[in-house]
Amino acid sequence: MLRSRFAARLRQDVAELAELAGQLSAAGHREEALRRIHALAHGLHGTAATFGQQRTGEAAAVLEAAAEAALAGEEGEPWPQRVKAMQAATGLLQAIRSEEPG
């Protein structure tokens, strides 16, 4: 039962992450989108290993770190590269999700 709930949550979260990643290019609600991406990625990172989904957890950790760095305004990659990195991590989560049962 817990595994099926996690699988349902994972489907929802990955779909929402994809939508949010698409919104990052627009300046309007960027901080809101980043905060939600961070929260979703943090949750997935924390629970994926519990259900034996190490690759999902690793991809979520990358996304979480990228969102956290962007929110903190850390120096480093320019905004377009950060967006691409977060979109790539989200794409990886989608690919992993499509490969896994449940």
Side-chain angles (χ1 to χ4, degrees), residues 29-83:
H29 301 283
R30 188 177 288 166
E31 188 171 342
E32 265 179 56
L34 281 171
R35 288 190 187 288
R36 185 66 182 145
I37 288 169
H38 182 266
L40 288 169
H42 179 76
L44 286 175
H45 177 206
T47 58
T50 302
F51 294 96
Q53 296 190 10
Q54 183 175 344
R55 290 177 40 204
T56 297
E58 290 168 357
V62 168
L63 185 56
E64 177 185 10
E68 190 171 318
L71 282 165
E74 291 180 10
E75 293 296 320
E77 295 178 338
W79 182 250
Q81 280 75 23
R82 287 181 192 240
V83 170

